[in-house]
Amino acid sequence: MPVYTLPELPYDYSALAPVISPEIIELHHDKHHAAYVKGANDTLEQLAEARDKESWGAVNGLEKNLAFHLSGHILHSIYWQNMTGDGGGEPLAADGVGELADAIAESFGSFAGFKAQLSKAAATTQGSGWGVLAYEPLSGRLIVEQVYDHQGNVGQGATPILVFDAWEHAFYLQYRNQKVDFIEAMWAVVNWQDVARRYAAAKSRTDVLLLAP
Ligand SMILES: [Fe+2]
């Protein structure tokens, strides 16, 4: 039994067009995301084999592979839910997402400041990476992270609630080398209801980081 499974898309391949073409969504979900799911499961099996044989020569590479594939699976699972063909704009109290709007204003000064920071973080990734809005439980603030590959350059313990995939596989077939244009277009499909739901869940859970001795 595999530990991780590929989640179904919450919409059909054409739901995010013209921002993201059906061809990209199909390849991205069915091939790239699927490969991270398989990679995470395969790596867990290889680690189990290493324990059985007490053969630790490859443990360094296996731990790196686990971080890469598992983080890829988690970020893509959030990514699909973060988008909708009816999205865009900014979070507003009138739409029932006032708590998220307030948190963004408190953490970044304004929605415009937040949008600029996340856009820049995503667009200036060197090589492969992500721009991520995350809830950081020690401070109770939202922060932006510029993630390398799927797993690097993150603060431990923060929960991603809005993720922009800045890997070339996310846009190259449609936007060619215009990563900045792709990131700008992404704002038109953000599902603020989903981001607000994730913010509320991250904020309300009893985080292990906050447990008193
Ligand atoms: Fe991706």
Side-chain angles (χ1 to χ4, degrees), residues 28 32-33 36 72 76 79-80 130 150 165-167 169-170:
H28 198 169
H32 292 279
H33 187 170
Y36 302 131
H76 284 92
Y79 181 63
W80 308 124
W130 298 71
H150 305 303
D165 193 334
W167 283 54
H169 68 222

Side-chain angles (χ1 to χ4, degrees), residues 36 39-40 42-44 46-47 56-73 148-152 167:
Y36 302 131
D42 288 352
T43 308
L44 285 182
Q46 289 157 12
L47 282 163
W56 299 109
V59 69
N60 202 336
L62 289 173
E63 296 293 359
K64 283 182 183 170
N65 286 346
L66 183 62
F68 177 83
H69 290 296
L70 177 56
S71 299
H73 174 38
Y148 297 163
D149 289 336
H150 305 303
Q151 75 280 24
W167 283 54

Side-chain angles (χ1 to χ4, degrees), residues 117-127 146 148 166 179-180 183:
Q117 186 177 339
L118 181 54
S119 292
K120 286 290 179 191
T124 62
T125 50
Q126 295 175 323
Q146 184 183 62
Y148 297 163
K179 183 157 67 169
V180 170
I183 299 299

Side-chain angles (χ1 to χ4, degrees), residues 66-182:
L66 183 62
F68 177 83
H69 290 296
L70 177 56
S71 299
H73 174 38
I74 289 170
L75 286 176
H76 284 92
S77 297
I78 298 169
Y79 181 63
W80 308 124
Q81 303 279 339
N82 274 168
M83 297 185 288
T84 171
D86 300 321
E90 61 181 273
L92 298 170
D95 298 328
V97 292
E99 233 186 282
L100 173 67
D102 290 346
I104 287 173
E106 281 163 25
S107 299
F108 299 98
S110 66
F111 180 79
F114 153 68
K115 184 178 175 183
Q117 186 177 339
L118 181 54
S119 292
K120 286 290 179 191
T124 62
T125 50
Q126 295 175 323
S128 299
W130 298 71
V132 170
L133 173 67
Y135 176 73
E136 196 289 289
L138 274 186
S139 64
R141 292 169 61 92
L142 293 168
I143 59 171
V144 164
E145 299 177 315
Q146 184 183 62
V147 178
Y148 297 163
D149 289 336
H150 305 303
Q151 75 280 24
N153 211 31
V154 298
Q156 298 286 351
T159 303
I161 63 170
L162 172 62
V163 300
F164 279 16
D165 193 334
W167 283 54
E168 284 191 346
H169 68 222
F171 65 90
Y172 203 84
L173 285 175
Q174 184 178 353
Y175 292 83
R176 311 294 286 182
N177 60 331
Q178 302 300 314
K179 183 157 67 169
V180 170
D181 292 349
F182 168 64

